[in-house]
Amino acid sequence: MFRTALRNVLAHKARLLMTVLAVLLGVAFVSGTLVFTSTISEAYQKSSQKGFDHVDVAIQPHRQADDKERPGAAPKLTQRMLDQAAKVPGAASATGTVNGFAAIADKNGKLVGEGFGSAGSNYYPGTDGKDARYPLKDGRAPKGTGEIALDAKTADRAGYKVGDTVRISVNGPVLEQKLTGVFTTDDGNVSAGGSLALFDTATAQQLYAKPGEFNEIDVKAAAGTSQDALKTELDKVLPKTAETTTAKQLADDQAKVIAQGMDGMKTAMLAFAGISLFVGIFIIANTFTMLVAQRTKELALLRAVGASRRQVTRSVLIEALVVGTVAGVTGLLAGIGIGAGLRSLLGSTGAEIPAGPLVVSPGTVVASLAVGIVITVLAAWLPGRRAAKIPPVAAMNSVHAVATTRSLVVRNTIGAVLAAAGAALTVATDSKAVMGLGAGLLLIGVFVLTPLLSRPVIAAASPVLRLFGISGKLARQNAVRNPRRTAATASALMIGLTLITGLTVIAGSVQKAVDKMATDAIRADYVVSMASHTPLSPDVAKKISTLPGVKASSPLREAPSRIDGDFQNLTGVDGATIDELTKLDFASGSFADLTAGKAVVDDTTAKDRGWKLGSTVDATFEDGKKGKLTVSGIYKGNALMNGMMVDVTTIAPHQSQITDQQVMVKMSSGVSDSTKDSLRKALGDNPAIQIQDKKDISNDIAKMISLLLNMLYGLLAMAVIVAVLGVVNTLAMSVFERSQEIGMLRAIGLDRKGIKRMVRLESLVISLFGGVLGVGLGVFLGWAAGQLIGKSLSTYELVLPWDRMAVFLLLSAVVGVLAALWPARRAARLNMLAAIKAE
């Protein structure tokens, strides 16, 4: 039986090729994902580890999470702590670090670096006058206000040389600094495409902290002292507000963070690989079902000469094992190439990735082979089991070919129950997990019902098919002749289009909701903020308020606090102007009374806390001082505007460092290119500051949605490609099955063009059937998901992208036409006499 199974594989190489390709694509996606994420993760980990070469123990601020006295106050690392650390036994040196955001403009005024990767820090010289972390390549270290050093990569990209004037921004206003030095660094942030600017320590403290304060103190161990021993000595002398961590622990923590960051990407990519493999299951099952059907008499003879049911099933599974192994090995090799290609592609987009080897772990190899083999064997098990159950005499007479009424009734009943249960769970739940389960059950239920659905849907296409004469009539009959095969072929395409349509519906609806929210909630013409989303200097708000043409402006400033004992972020605004800049619906009260000691709250917070208009609450501010706030208004919150708002004069006295998140601006002349340009020039043509109107805000979100959607389209395209292979495979084997029939058609006068047209129309009908089901299910799932989204996004409403849905149906038609090219050509070239004699 083993030799028989191997011979069958070799005898049907062409028939199994499409199945191999379908499994190969899914396995390649899995192995490519694992190789790519492992390679990038290891490269970043090794790069980040280099950053700990000059430190053995790091001292960082540590504040108790339950500190109710000073909810916003973070402990400071002082010069005294640094001096203490340098003197402990086993310490060779101690370095104080101050860091924050620093945007660098190139000579054309454009921002250099990757936003959050634009960092600033201090050059801390040791006893030899050098900072070992930043070896100078050219020039000297910065020594006072107005001087700066840049990493070599940033200097090259921006075209700067020692002696040039560099325009930078730390929190808003433009600073012009003289470039005194260019240095090299192993900083992982720079390796990833970011920028690093160095100031002298006093200047860095003035920009990012306070004189004499540090964000971190790095201690280097003396020869013969371990990191753990040094940590123990430091813990003896440092206060509880300082936390010590060994460099090894920091590196391990950094590796975990990087791995977690890659986990999201890995999970998403593997999910779509799973979808491709799920689609591939239909193709594999379909292929083996057809192969078994074509070999019915052969299997019957094996049973007749003594083969048991188990042996027949085993022979089919052996074929599947061979196919799965071949697909797994080739898919693994293709996946390694995909992983290398994805890394190169990421580099070509401008993202800088640390150098490192391609990582192919044993786990990747095992996972890829296991996926290929297990998926193929499982998909082939049911056809093999069905073949073994056919009685030899019945098989000889092909009695098994027609499905019994009972089997169809059972199938349709099961499908209806699954579909109904899935639809009910999808619609009637507030849980994402339950909705996902419902969507899965609905898809499976519709798949089980597709043989039943195929007849009326394909019958609806009859009037169009009649236009093609006898070829159209035969195509329709062939499409409904074997409903199960048609269903399995169309379902592969249906799954891909369901996901694509559903995601498109959700994305379009969310985009419209955001547009409506921006229009409904904001009266301001412009919102000014840092491009990196870091805090903005209060000088920007002051500058804007004095500009000619500015009708009203208000900063939005966050301040941590405790309200009635619970943590609550307060948003500081200008109480006198905020009503002109926002458009919020108040259930009670208004912005009119928002003065010192007053607060307005969104309706959700007020309901959760049991607050009403006039309620007085206890507040503990950032500096630990206590006060009382009176609720002077309750408004309907949304995703853009929510929380507890107070006048800036309420929180300013309690803030150690005042910064704004953004500034809202209303111009006398409204929105125009000239007013935006005047604002930009007034703020010093600062590349780190972005000035956005409502359309810009909406476009930014639209770009994010479009980017995500395009990525998902690209990933889902794999499932569609696999579905195309399934259509090709089904048609090719169907042509083989119907060789005698095609020969008879040729003999009675149907020419080669007619045969080609018949096969192409059959493919077109099957593909459009899958497309119609996919688009319909996608719209339903998109609507159901929207009901859940609408509970947290009040402006959400269903938007049906008719143009894109038409494109998806057109894509289905194209899939049908392309998939039929080879089978139609093969059918037309059959020798009619040889075909008539075929068994």
Side-chain angles (χ1 to χ4, degrees):
M1 291 300 294
F2 181 75
R3 286 197 299 269
T4 301
L6 291 180
R7 284 172 181 166
N8 279 324
V9 172
L10 296 175
H12 303 123
K13 294 188 291 290
R15 300 184 209 174
L16 292 171
L17 177 62
M18 295 299 177
T19 304
V20 170
L21 284 174
V23 181
L24 183 152
L25 285 173
V27 172
F29 211 148
V30 171
S31 58
T33 297
L34 296 175
V35 169
F36 172 69
T37 53
S38 297
T39 298
I40 299 299
S41 180
E42 184 165 304
Y44 276 117
Q45 285 176 20
K46 287 185 176 179
S47 176
S48 67
Q49 285 170 1
K50 290 180 182 178
F52 300 114
D53 288 346
H54 304 290
V55 56
D56 287 303
V57 177
I59 305 170
Q60 297 168 323
H62 177 66
R63 177 169 61 86
Q64 297 295 327
D66 60 350
D67 186 355
K68 295 185 179 181
E69 297 301 319
R70 295 167 63 85
K76 307 297 181 184
L77 302 180
T78 63
Q79 183 68 45
R80 181 172 175 273
M81 291 183 192
L82 188 148
D83 295 336
Q84 284 179 313
K87 293 176 183 177
V88 301
S93 63
T95 302
T97 300
V98 189
N99 48 43
F101 173 77
I104 312 294
D106 64 17
K107 290 191 173 181
N108 297 319
K110 294 182 179 180
L111 190 64
V112 180
E114 299 296 326
F116 288 106
S118 302
S121 189
N122 65 311
Y123 188 91
Y124 193 93
T127 54
D128 59 354
K130 298 178 180 179
D131 190 331
R133 300 171 299 175
Y134 310 115
L136 287 166
K137 181 180 179 183
D138 191 16
R140 62 172 177 81
K143 293 183 178 178
T145 304
E147 293 187 349
I148 193 175
L150 291 178
D151 70 271
K153 288 185 177 182
T154 299
D156 288 342
R157 278 184 293 172
Y160 287 125
K161 295 181 181 178
V162 171
D164 288 344
T165 299
V166 181
R167 297 175 73 246
I168 72 165
S169 175
V170 171
N171 59 0
V174 174
L175 304 174
E176 293 193 345
Q177 308 282 302
K178 181 182 178 182
L179 183 62
T180 64
V182 175
F183 61 91
T184 58
T185 177
D186 291 326
D187 191 298
N189 174 59
V190 175
S191 300
S195 62
L196 179 60
L198 297 181
F199 308 88
D200 71 288
T201 299
T203 302
Q205 287 175 332
Q206 184 179 355
L207 292 171
Y208 299 124
K210 287 185 177 180
E213 292 183 355
F214 301 94
N215 302 125
E216 182 174 304
I217 296 172
D218 297 332
V219 186
K220 187 72 177 172
T225 303
S226 68
Q227 292 183 358
D228 290 332
L230 179 59
K231 181 181 184 303
T232 301
E233 293 296 330
L234 287 168
D235 287 338
K236 292 177 182 177
V237 299
L238 293 173
K240 292 182 179 179
T241 55
E243 182 179 31
T244 58
T245 311
T246 64
K248 182 181 182 304
Q249 184 61 50
L250 287 173
D252 291 344
D253 291 343
Q254 184 70 26
K256 288 179 183 177
V257 170
I258 293 170
Q260 288 172 357
M262 298 303 295
D263 280 347
M265 181 189 297
K266 184 190 293 186
T267 301
M269 293 178 72
L270 287 176
F272 287 100
I275 292 169
S276 297
L277 288 167
F278 183 60
V279 172
I281 288 174
F282 293 111
I283 298 172
I284 298 164
N286 214 17
T287 301
F288 276 93
T289 298
M290 295 169 74
L291 285 173
V292 167
Q294 290 171 10
R295 288 162 40 207
T296 300
K297 290 186 178 181
E298 174 190 325
L299 295 174
L301 283 171
L302 288 173
R303 290 290 310 282
V305 296
S308 66
R309 286 186 176 183
R310 184 174 296 178
Q311 285 179 309
V312 171
T313 303
R314 194 181 300 151
S315 70
V316 175
L317 294 182
I318 289 171
E319 291 182 49
L321 178 65
V322 173
V323 171
T325 304
V326 172
V329 172
T330 51
L332 172 63
L333 297 175
I336 294 171
I338 289 172
L342 285 174
R343 178 175 174 171
S344 299
L345 180 63
L346 194 61
S348 67
T349 62
E352 295 193 26
I353 303 167
L358 201 65
V359 178
V360 184
S361 66
T364 299
V365 176
V366 172
S368 301
L369 292 176
V371 165
I373 293 170
V374 171
I375 290 292
T376 308
V377 171
L378 285 178
W381 175 77
L382 190 60
R385 184 171 177 271
R386 191 182 298 133
K389 290 175 70 175
I390 300 171
V393 175
M396 293 286 193
N397 291 283
S398 300
V399 176
H400 68 288
V402 180
T404 64
T405 303
R406 180 176 176 276
S407 69
L408 291 175
V409 170
V410 170
R411 178 182 179 126
N412 293 338
T413 303
I414 293 172
V417 170
L418 289 174
L425 286 176
T426 304
V427 173
T429 183
D430 291 336
S431 167
K432 293 178 182 177
V434 175
M435 179 174 283
L437 174 62
L441 287 175
L442 178 60
L443 278 173
I444 294 170
V446 172
F447 165 67
V448 175
L449 284 173
T450 40
L452 179 66
L453 297 173
S454 63
R455 289 184 180 277
V457 174
I458 293 174
S462 295
V464 178
L465 292 175
R466 288 197 194 102
L467 299 176
F468 297 93
I470 190 65
S471 295
K473 183 179 180 181
L474 289 171
R476 185 188 67 79
Q477 291 175 345
N478 288 333
V480 297
R481 176 187 296 182
N482 192 330
R484 291 188 178 186
R485 183 187 301 168
T486 298
T489 306
S491 295
L493 188 60
M494 175 193 77
I495 293 168
L497 287 181
T498 296
L499 295 171
I500 290 173
T501 304
L503 291 170
T504 304
V505 169
I506 294 170
S509 301
V510 168
Q511 178 58 44
K512 185 171 181 180
V514 170
D515 290 344
K516 192 172 187 299
M517 186 183 299
T519 303
D520 291 351
I522 300 176
R523 283 195 177 103
D525 294 321
Y526 297 104
V527 174
V528 180
S529 62
M530 293 292 285
S532 60
H533 305 289
T534 52
L536 189 69
S537 168
D539 294 340
V540 174
K542 291 177 184 177
K543 177 75 173 176
I544 289 174
S545 66
T546 62
L547 294 177
V550 174
K551 186 178 179 182
S553 67
S554 171
L556 265 68
R557 182 179 304 167
E558 288 189 358
S561 65
R562 287 190 181 274
I563 305 297
D564 285 347
D566 296 325
F567 182 83
Q568 174 78 48
N569 252 331
L570 296 177
T571 301
V573 298
D574 187 333
T577 61
I578 190 64
D579 193 39
E580 295 182 66
L581 301 165
T582 59
K583 190 164 49 176
L584 298 175
D585 293 330
F586 275 81
S588 56
S590 68
F591 278 127
D593 296 325
L594 189 59
T595 55
K598 302 288 184 67
V600 297
V601 190
D602 70 276
D603 52 352
T604 303
T605 302
K607 183 179 179 181
D608 292 344
R609 299 288 190 95
W611 295 340
K612 297 179 180 180
L613 190 68
S615 295
T616 300
V617 298
D618 294 321
T620 302
F621 297 104
E622 182 178 340
D623 59 355
K625 293 184 178 179
K626 300 180 183 298
K628 289 188 179 295
L629 295 174
T630 302
V631 177
S632 61
I634 298 174
Y635 65 92
K636 186 177 180 181
N638 56 53
L640 292 180
M641 304 289 289
N642 56 60
M644 196 169 188
M645 297 187 201
V646 297
D647 190 84
V648 288
T649 57
T650 301
I651 56 175
H654 306 286
Q655 292 183 289
S656 58
Q657 188 173 7
I658 296 177
T659 56
D660 298 326
Q661 296 305 115
Q662 57 189 37
V663 180
M664 303 178 77
V665 186
K666 190 170 184 63
M667 307 294 290
S668 301
S669 55
V671 177
S672 68
D673 291 339
S674 60
T675 55
K676 183 182 281 190
D677 287 340
S678 67
L679 275 175
R680 186 177 288 111
K681 288 177 181 177
L683 295 174
D685 284 325
N686 192 336
I689 291 180
Q690 62 180 7
I691 302 169
Q692 297 179 299
D693 57 27
K694 285 183 277 192
K695 185 177 179 182
D696 293 330
I697 294 171
S698 178
N699 287 342
D700 267 4
I701 297 172
K703 285 178 184 176
M704 293 170 59
I705 293 174
S706 295
L707 178 62
L708 180 61
L709 202 56
N710 289 336
M711 290 174 62
L712 294 174
Y713 282 168
L715 294 169
L716 286 169
M718 182 69 73
V720 175
I721 291 171
V722 173
V724 172
L725 294 176
V727 179
V728 174
N729 204 17
T730 300
L731 287 173
M733 300 185 78
S734 178
V735 166
F736 177 82
E737 273 188 345
R738 303 201 313 257
S739 296
Q740 191 176 56
E741 175 187 318
I742 291 170
M744 289 294 294
L745 289 171
R746 289 290 315 282
I748 61 175
L750 190 61
D751 59 11
R752 288 186 173 182
K753 285 185 179 180
I755 295 293
K756 284 184 179 180
R757 191 181 299 119
M758 176 187 73
V759 176
R760 287 171 183 165
L761 289 173
E762 179 184 351
S763 175
L764 184 64
V765 166
I766 292 173
S767 297
L768 281 173
F769 171 52
V772 168
L773 286 182
V775 170
L777 277 173
V779 169
F780 173 77
L781 294 178
W783 168 80
Q787 298 302 300
L788 191 59
I789 295 170
K791 292 179 180 178
S792 57
L793 192 61
S794 59
T795 53
Y796 185 92
E797 60 182 69
L798 182 67
V799 175
L800 294 180
W802 295 104
D803 54 343
R804 293 204 179 190
M805 289 193 294
V807 169
F808 297 154
L809 288 176
L810 181 61
L811 175 65
S812 302
V814 171
V815 165
V817 171
L818 293 178
L821 290 177
W822 177 60
R825 185 169 178 269
R826 185 165 177 249
R829 296 180 64 183
L830 285 174
N831 182 291
M832 68 177 76
L833 294 178
I836 290 171
K837 292 190 296 180
E839 286 290 332

